[in-house]
């Protein structure tokens, strides 16, 4: 009996240890999987004609004539959308209609002054026009179809009045007719609700198709183009077709979100066909095409990473890390060489080793503080440099941070060179210096490089040390080492929490962080590959 | 210089010229000087690490000193209201220190069992071939930048917590600790595995020969023998968690409060690292707030230094034991 329990305990234990490893693998998949999947959409996606327009305008990429052709191809489909909305709007947007009548009235008055009518006539016509205006306004504001009909009919009887024909006041009658038509089949009590919904619809159409043709170009770059991606367009289409409303099912219960089809909301109105039309012809309005946007890795971005890529971030990251490696490589290798080849185990060496370990244990944010207090405020100004966060300060800070990693890796690499190599060299009469330079170092070089690449990967991902020493979220490309730089790591932080605009472009958020992760993982893969090769070589097969 | 020397040393040996094998006094002195000056040079370069550690302590403490002279250190360490920008600023860092320790310990609750079990799995249970498949998983977990973990915490885990698990806020101590535990795991696993593997084969074989199962062998023989290495692994994992900045800054909610009730992980906390990272950007130079951030840095530095010494002690004793057996 006891042995059975012991057996079971053994099995359970084995199972638990296995589970923990499975858990690790799952964690890795859960962390990386969705991230890489969503990030890949920044590079591989279906673009639309708006994207191609944007690429031409911002990056001078693509063929202007073919985009012109696409423009004229899509225009006819888009026109229908705008027309449908405009027609419906005449019956809905009373404020705009009233404003328009006021404008017409004013314009008509001015026209009249130049026409050379007598003063009395002028007064008479003008008061008639005022009356028409007021009647129209009453009609527009009214919710009662009878009142509307009366007022509009009253206005329309002056249609052929000689004073109004071929003047700006003639628009009164077209307004009146349009209004009567569009009012014919809508529920006037719902007008407020319609107006609100219409505003949303117009906003969605704006984001879908970009600014209306003929309108002045918006000031922000992000407003100049419609949906640049097909997935974004589909999302907007969904928003267009369905409105989300908070409803209370029973009193006292929490509100629940429900989806209402906008086509139902606008049933029976002139806007109803819009939804079906957009749904059916969206691809003709946007012309989606599969796209491999490799330029994502070299393109600059518009504010908030709304459009464009991560070019400056990659550049900044490479600059910082390579510069840091430049500082740390000689230091690390020489230190390691000394520790392996020359040092005996005495108190001084023990202190040095303790310091290296301490350095490895210092939190990265403290390196940031140190970089700020030492490099930014003290060291660089000491040599006449500017006392502000810059690439030089950041890379020096990173070099300090990675020094222990570099020393340890080089030490291990130098130690792993077989003693026989050295003995052979020394036996030939070479000095220790020569032995190190010509035998040990070349043999250890792959290992040292592995360490270098590993620290490169670590440094590329570090954010905290460069927060105050040289990383910025926005800014021009650095011109010298004394400028701050945009980096992938800080950019990933900023795009995740700092930037409101970025929330609207999740593919770019994930694209940035996935670029960073892939960069780091690639460096690690190279290091692992090098290490495996080195071991094979040192073993001698 | 070394080329000339090379010729001088090599040629007599090879016998290209008719020179005596005995070095002239000049050559002797040259060689002596070269050897010792070279050594000195290498030694000085190696001392950069020492210099850097001293510089770090000196410069961080120097910037923190004005704060310590103007405000009471006792108040800094024992009160918990952190209002550095108020009319009469209050610098009670206790809530921050507690926040740091809180998320770190919570992370260890997840990470230690999983980490040790995984280490046992790798060292004692699977074959080398399967190990080669699992090692990269751990290496990748260790290689993912902390900001990417923070990104995951904010944009994936936090919304899950809010919508699926019904938390009031997705950025809380639990979120931060989960991510921290993932980040501490590779450290814990690799150090613990090293020390478990270092336990001699004879011990295991003796145990098996006495009829013990694998479970009994590991728990009663291997673990006690490897305990210092395992403790070192936990301490190192703790260091990794307590010094982590980006994840806690992004995921912990950043509310400077001591969690109450203490077991409720769903509350927002604020750690020392996150406070430094978050406040430094907006704080003008040479103000009490600025100095106070350096003071937090000193506390952090002291804590990690202490942990480092502890881990060194245990690692050294683990090494000694491995050497004996």
């Amino acid at each position: 009996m006891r042995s059975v329990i012991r057996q079971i305990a053994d099995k359970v234990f084995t199972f638990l240890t296995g589970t923990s490893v499975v858990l690790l693998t799952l964690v890795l998949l859960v962390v990386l999987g969705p991230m890489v999947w969503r990030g890949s959409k920044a590079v591989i996606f279906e673009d639309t004609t708006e994207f191609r327009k944007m690429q031409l305008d911002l990056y001078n990429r693509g063929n202007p004539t073919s985009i012109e052709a696409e423009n004229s191809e899509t225009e006819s489909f888009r026109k229908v959308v705008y027309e449908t909305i405009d027609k419906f709007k005449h019956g809905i947007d009373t404020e705009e209609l009233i404003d328009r009548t006021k404008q017409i009235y004013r314009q008509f008055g001015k026209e009249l002054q130049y026409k050379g009518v007598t003063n009395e006539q002028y007064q008479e016509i003008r008061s008639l026009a005022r009356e028409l205006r007021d009647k129209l306004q009453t009609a527009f504001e009214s919710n009662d179809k009878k009142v509307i009909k009366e007022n509009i009919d009253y206005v329309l009887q002056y249609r052929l009045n000689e004073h109004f024909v071929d003047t700006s006041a003639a628009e009164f009658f077209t307004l009146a007719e349009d209004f009567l038509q569009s009012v014919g089949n809508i529920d006037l009590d719902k007008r407020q609700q319609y107006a609100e919904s219409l505003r949303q619809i117009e906003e969605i159409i704006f984001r879908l198709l970009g600014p209306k043709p003929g309108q002045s170009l918006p000031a922000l770059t992000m407003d100049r183009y419609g949906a640049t991606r097909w997935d974004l367009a589909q999302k907007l289409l969904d928003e267009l077709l369905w409105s989300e409303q908070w409803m209370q099912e029973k009193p006292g219960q929490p509100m629940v979100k429900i989806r209402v089809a906008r086509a139902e909301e606008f049933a029976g109105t002139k806007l109803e066909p819009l939804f079906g039309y957009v749904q059916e012809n969206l691809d003709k309005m946007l012309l989606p095409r599969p796209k491999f946007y490799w330029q994502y890795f070299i393109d600059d971005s518009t504010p908030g990473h709304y459009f464009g890529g991560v070019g400056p971030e990659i550049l900044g990251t490479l600059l910082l890390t390579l510069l840091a490696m430049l500082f740390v490589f000689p230091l690390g290798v020489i230190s390691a060489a000394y520790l392996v080849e020359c040092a005996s185990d005495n108190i001084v060496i023990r202190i040095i080793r303790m310091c290296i370990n301490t350095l490895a244990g210092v939190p990265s944010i403290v390196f940031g503080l140190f970089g700020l207090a030492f490099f930014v405020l003290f060291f660089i100004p000491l040599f006449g440099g500017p006392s502000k966060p810059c690439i030089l300060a950041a890379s020096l800070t990173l070099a300090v941070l990675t020094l222990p990693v570099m020393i340890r890796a080089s030490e291990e690499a130098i130690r792993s060179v077989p003693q026989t190599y050295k003995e052979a060299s020394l036996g030939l009469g070479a000095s220790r210096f020569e032995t190190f330079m010509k035998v040990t170092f070349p043999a250890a070089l792959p290992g040292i490089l592995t360490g270098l690449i590993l620290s490169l990967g670590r440094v590329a991902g570090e954010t905290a040390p460069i927060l105050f020493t040289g990383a910025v979220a926005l800014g021009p490309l650095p011109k010298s080492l004394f400028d701050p730089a945009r980096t992938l790591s800080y950019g990933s932080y900023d795009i995740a929490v700092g930037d409101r605009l970025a929330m609207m472009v999740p593919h770019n958020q994930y694209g940035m962080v996935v670029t960073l992760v892939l960069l780091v993982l690639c460096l690690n893969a190279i290091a692992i590959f090098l290490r495996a090769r080195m071991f094979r070589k040192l073993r001698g097969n | 210089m070394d080329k000339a020397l090379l010729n001088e040393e090599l040629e007599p040996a090879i016998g290209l010229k008719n020179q005596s094998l005995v070095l002239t006094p000049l050559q002797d002195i040259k060689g002596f000087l070269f050897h010792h000056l070279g050594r000195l040079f290498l030694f000085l370069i190696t001392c950069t690490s020492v210099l850097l550690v001293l510089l770090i302590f000196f410069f961080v403490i120097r910037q923190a000193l004005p704060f310590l002279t103007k405000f009471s250190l006792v108040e800094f360490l024992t009160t918990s209201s952190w209002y550095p920008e108020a009319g009469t600023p209050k610098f009670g860092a206790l809530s921050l220190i507690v926040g740091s320790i809180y998320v770190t310990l919570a992370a260890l609750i997840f990470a230690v069992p999983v980490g040790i079990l995984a280490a046992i799995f790798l060292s004692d249970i699977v074959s080398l071939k399967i190990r080669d498949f699992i090692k990269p998983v751990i290496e990748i977990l260790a290689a993912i930048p902390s900001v990417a973990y923070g990104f995951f915490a904010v944009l994936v885990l936090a919304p899950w917590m809010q919508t699926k698990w019904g938390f009031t806020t997705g950025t809380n101590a639990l979120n931060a600790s989960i991510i921290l535990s993932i980040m501490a795991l590779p450290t814990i696993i690799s150090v613990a595995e090293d020390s478990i593997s270092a336990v001699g084969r004879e011990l295991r074989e003796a145990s098996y020969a006495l009829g013990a199962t694998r479970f009994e062998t590991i728990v009663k023989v291997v673990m006690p023998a490897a305990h210092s290495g395992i403790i070192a692994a936990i301490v190192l994992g703790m260091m990794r968690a307590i010094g982590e900045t980006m994840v806690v800054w992004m995921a912990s909610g950043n509310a400077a409060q001591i969690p109450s009730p203490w077991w409720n992980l769903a509350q927002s906390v604020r750690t020392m690292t996150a406070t430094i990272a978050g406040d430094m950007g907006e704080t003008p130079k040479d103000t009490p707030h600025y100095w106070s951030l350096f003071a937090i840095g000193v506390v952090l530095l002291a804590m990690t230094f202490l942990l480092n010494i502890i881990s060194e002690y245990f690692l050294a004793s683990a090494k000694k034991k491995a050497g004996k057996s």
Side-chain angles (χ1 to χ4, degrees):
Chain A
M1 188 62 208
R2 241 194 104 194
S3 100
V4 173
I5 294 173
R6 283 172 59 201
Q7 289 296 326
I8 292 174
D10 190 42
K11 289 268 152 41
V12 168
F13 179 71
T14 310
F15 176 73
L16 275 181
T17 56
T19 317
S20 67
V21 172
V22 173
L23 192 71
L24 273 181
T25 319
L26 277 182
V27 163
L28 183 68
L29 289 180
V30 167
V31 171
L32 276 190
M35 214 139 88
V36 172
W37 167 243
R38 288 188 220 180
S40 69
K41 287 187 191 159
V43 180
I44 302 162
F45 57 95
E46 277 192 88
D47 69 349
T48 66
T49 174
E50 295 292 319
F51 182 84
R52 299 188 275 274
K53 254 187 254 173
M54 181 265 285
Q55 287 279 306
L56 181 71
D57 290 355
L58 298 185
Y59 302 100
N60 207 6
R61 203 175 282 148
N63 184 355
T65 47
S66 76
I67 286 168
E68 202 56 44
E70 277 179 11
N71 259 350
S72 52
E73 192 184 330
T74 55
E75 205 177 359
S76 57
F77 291 99
R78 294 179 177 203
K79 227 164 87 189
V80 180
V81 175
Y82 292 123
E83 274 169 4
T84 318
I85 292 180
D86 278 347
K87 255 189 223 153
F88 179 71
K89 216 167 157 186
H90 281 314
I92 289 303
D93 202 343
T94 51
E95 261 169 51
E96 200 189 298
L97 285 173
I98 290 169
D99 279 349
R100 186 75 200 133
T101 52
K102 281 179 187 160
Q103 269 175 27
I104 295 169
Y105 173 68
R106 239 175 280 134
Q107 212 180 338
F108 181 61
K110 270 185 210 151
E111 266 180 37
L112 221 53
Q113 282 174 346
Y114 292 110
K115 249 186 176 171
V117 289
T118 64
N119 209 11
E120 279 153 41
Q121 257 180 322
Y122 175 80
Q123 291 297 345
E124 192 193 317
I125 301 171
R126 199 153 161 80
S127 72
L128 187 59
R130 197 182 306 132
E131 199 190 340
L132 293 185
R133 183 195 72 184
D134 291 344
K135 288 274 178 201
L136 272 176
Q137 284 183 11
T138 339
F140 292 156
E141 278 168 349
S142 169
N143 277 353
D144 188 346
K145 285 202 180 165
K146 232 159 96 192
V147 178
I148 293 174
K149 184 97 176 84
E150 270 170 24
N151 281 296
I152 296 284
D153 282 349
Y154 182 84
V155 173
L156 285 180
Q157 67 181 336
Y158 288 96
R159 188 187 335 204
L160 298 176
N161 189 308
E162 52 173 333
H163 298 306
F164 297 134
V165 174
D166 286 335
T167 65
S168 52
E171 205 186 326
F172 274 152
F173 308 115
T174 45
L175 275 184
E177 273 181 334
D178 278 353
F179 184 68
L180 198 60
Q181 247 185 23
S182 54
V183 156
N185 44 13
I186 60 172
D187 187 349
L188 290 176
D189 293 328
K190 277 192 183 169
R191 207 143 61 169
Q192 198 65 37
Q193 192 193 327
Y194 281 154
E196 205 162 294
S197 205
L198 186 67
R199 252 197 301 282
Q200 287 174 15
I201 289 172
E202 278 187 307
E203 169 70 25
I204 293 169
I205 293 286
F206 173 70
R207 284 201 279 144
L208 205 55
L209 302 181
K212 210 166 158 178
Q215 256 176 6
S216 60
L217 217 55
L220 291 176
T221 324
M222 58 170 281
D223 289 340
R224 289 188 194 159
Y225 307 95
T228 49
R229 305 160 57 90
W230 187 236
D231 52 358
L232 189 67
Q234 302 260 280
K235 222 169 90 188
L236 288 169
L237 177 68
D238 185 71
E239 271 178 53
L240 180 70
L241 296 180
W242 302 88
S243 72
E244 276 180 353
Q245 288 173 357
W246 290 91
M247 287 276 282
Q248 206 167 18
E249 282 180 329
K250 282 177 201 158
Q253 279 188 347
M255 310 264 266
V256 281
K257 217 181 340 188
I258 50 160
R259 277 157 68 89
V260 181
R262 279 196 214 265
E264 257 168 55
E265 198 182 326
F266 285 93
T269 68
K270 284 201 162 165
L271 203 61
E272 198 191 348
L274 176 81
F275 305 103
Y277 180 80
V278 173
Q279 193 173 10
E280 241 160 63
N281 296 308
L282 190 63
D283 53 341
K284 287 178 195 119
M285 284 184 243
L286 289 171
L287 305 173
R289 243 180 255 159
K291 170 89 183 165
F292 177 62
Y293 179 38
W294 63 268
Q295 292 101 331
Y296 182 76
F297 299 112
I298 55 168
D299 275 352
D300 198 353
S301 56
T302 62
H305 293 277
Y306 200 80
F307 296 132
V310 293
E313 277 82 7
I314 291 182
L315 186 74
T317 300
L318 289 181
L319 254 178
L320 279 186
T321 49
L322 292 179
L323 208 57
M325 288 304 125
L326 204 67
F327 297 130
V328 84
F329 183 74
L331 268 182
V333 174
I334 292 176
S335 298
Y338 181 80
L339 286 175
V340 176
E341 301 286 339
C342 307
S344 48
D345 189 26
N346 58 25
I347 182 83
V348 179
I349 300 302
R350 252 185 246 161
I351 289 177
I352 292 178
R353 282 194 186 282
M354 209 185 93
C355 281
I356 293 173
N357 287 338
T358 309
L359 209 55
V362 171
S364 54
I365 188 74
V366 176
F367 279 111
L369 284 180
F370 168 68
L372 173 67
F374 181 66
F375 291 121
V376 176
L377 299 177
F378 178 78
F379 190 70
I380 294 178
L382 199 65
F383 294 100
S387 176
K388 64 168 189 170
C390 62
I391 293 176
L392 189 63
S395 53
L396 282 169
T397 311
L398 289 175
V400 176
L401 169 121
T402 194
L403 182 62
V405 185
M406 196 63 224
I407 293 179
R408 281 176 184 172
S410 316
E411 232 191 296
E412 204 178 305
I414 294 173
R415 234 182 259 284
S416 72
V417 175
Q419 197 63 30
T420 47
Y421 283 31
K422 289 178 210 165
E423 280 161 8
S425 166
L426 290 172
L428 285 172
S431 72
R432 287 174 65 161
F433 179 70
E434 285 159 10
T435 305
F436 181 76
M437 288 310 287
K438 301 205 162 157
V439 178
T440 317
F441 184 68
L445 195 60
I448 294 175
L449 284 183
T450 309
L452 186 79
I453 297 170
L454 278 179
S455 11
L456 203 69
R458 166 142 190 235
V459 165
E462 280 292 347
T463 319
I466 56 173
L467 279 177
F468 334 121
T469 53
V472 285
L474 276 177
L477 285 174
K479 291 196 180 58
S480 73
L481 291 185
F482 299 109
D483 286 333
R486 285 150 69 176
T487 70
L488 281 173
S489 54
Y490 188 57
S492 301
Y493 162 75
D494 189 66
I495 209 169
V497 300
D499 216 313
R500 293 277 143 243
L501 267 186
M503 291 295 168
M504 293 158 73
V505 278
H507 54 94
N508 277 351
Q509 284 182 308
Y510 284 91
M512 171 96 81
V513 79
V514 167
T515 310
L516 176 65
V517 170
L518 288 185
L519 181 75
V520 170
L521 290 188
C522 278
L523 287 172
N524 275 276
I526 294 172
I528 289 170
F529 173 74
L530 264 180
R531 194 170 50 195
R533 247 184 66 151
M534 177 189 68
F535 273 127
R536 239 180 293 140
K537 213 171 163 189
L538 281 184
R539 271 195 223 124
N541 45 344
Chain B
M1 179 179 168
D2 55 276
K3 192 138 200 182
L5 198 88
L6 194 133
N7 285 336
E8 272 173 34
E9 272 185 45
L10 275 183
E11 278 160 9
I14 300 165
L16 285 175
K17 281 182 193 168
N18 252 346
Q19 269 184 350
S20 138
L21 278 174
V22 181
L23 296 175
T24 63
L26 191 69
Q27 280 173 327
D28 207 11
I29 291 171
K30 234 183 185 174
F32 179 83
L33 278 181
F34 181 72
H35 181 73
H36 282 267
L37 283 181
R39 251 183 104 107
L40 187 69
F41 174 71
L42 290 183
F43 175 71
L44 286 180
I45 296 235
T46 311
C47 281
T48 323
S49 307
V50 183
L51 181 74
L52 284 173
V53 170
L54 292 180
L55 280 177
I56 288 176
F57 275 87
F58 177 73
F59 272 88
V60 176
I61 292 175
R62 195 182 78 158
Q63 296 279 349
L65 271 185
F67 177 80
L68 297 179
T69 54
K70 285 199 180 131
F71 295 83
S72 130
L73 180 67
V74 178
E75 204 184 305
F76 179 67
L77 292 178
T78 55
T79 61
S80 62
S81 39
W82 180 258
Y83 301 115
E85 294 290 328
T88 48
K90 280 187 181 164
F91 297 101
L94 187 64
S95 55
L96 310 177
I97 298 172
V98 169
S100 272
I101 296 174
Y102 187 72
V103 288
T104 304
L105 291 183
L108 288 185
I109 291 175
F110 302 118
V112 168
V114 178
I116 291 177
L117 283 175
I120 291 171
F121 186 76
L122 287 178
S123 69
D124 273 59
I125 291 179
V126 288
S127 63
L128 277 174
K129 245 187 194 161
I130 300 177
R131 239 185 74 144
D132 283 347
F133 280 104
I134 300 169
K135 271 270 169 186
V137 171
I138 297 164
E139 268 166 13
I140 294 174
L141 275 178
I144 294 176
S146 62
V147 69
Y149 279 118
F151 188 94
F152 173 80
V154 168
L155 289 184
V156 182
L157 195 56
W160 273 351
M161 284 189 159
Q162 232 166 339
T163 54
K164 300 237 168 81
W165 307 351
F167 285 89
T168 40
T169 164
T171 49
N172 52 36
L174 181 65
N175 188 335
S177 342
I178 289 175
I179 304 289
L180 281 183
S181 67
I182 298 173
M183 296 181 69
L185 267 172
T187 315
I188 295 181
I189 293 174
S190 66
V191 180
E193 196 221 327
D194 281 349
S195 69
I196 292 175
S197 317
V199 173
R201 220 182 143 75
E202 314 87 70
L203 280 181
R204 290 191 175 90
E205 280 166 359
S207 170
Y208 285 133
L210 287 173
T213 61
R214 184 151 61 190
F215 170 58
E216 287 158 349
T217 305
I218 289 169
V219 171
K220 294 189 180 159
V221 178
V222 178
M223 298 277 277
H227 81 275
S228 11
I230 292 174
I231 294 175
I234 295 171
V235 174
L236 285 173
M238 197 164 161
M239 273 171 74
R240 178 102 164 92
I242 211 164
E244 178 47 50
T245 310
M246 298 317 288
V247 164
V248 287
W249 188 19
M250 291 161 94
S252 69
N254 290 332
Q257 57 182 14
I258 293 177
S260 77
W262 63 269
W263 42 263
N264 187 357
L265 279 171
Q267 298 169 76
S268 290
V269 291
R270 185 174 188 150
T271 67
M272 295 188 279
T273 50
T275 308
I276 299 174
D279 289 9
M280 187 54 92
E282 293 136 28
T283 312
K285 223 176 283 170
D286 297 331
T287 56
H289 189 186
Y290 178 81
W291 297 323
S292 74
L293 296 178
F294 278 92
I296 296 175
V298 173
V299 175
L300 204 55
L301 203 51
M303 282 170 98
T304 45
F305 188 62
L306 200 70
L307 286 175
N308 199 22
I309 289 176
I310 295 174
S311 75
E312 296 247 312
Y313 169 78
F314 281 109
L315 276 181
S317 79
K319 217 182 221 170
K320 228 183 258 169
K321 235 179 245 165
K324 250 188 237 164
S325 67

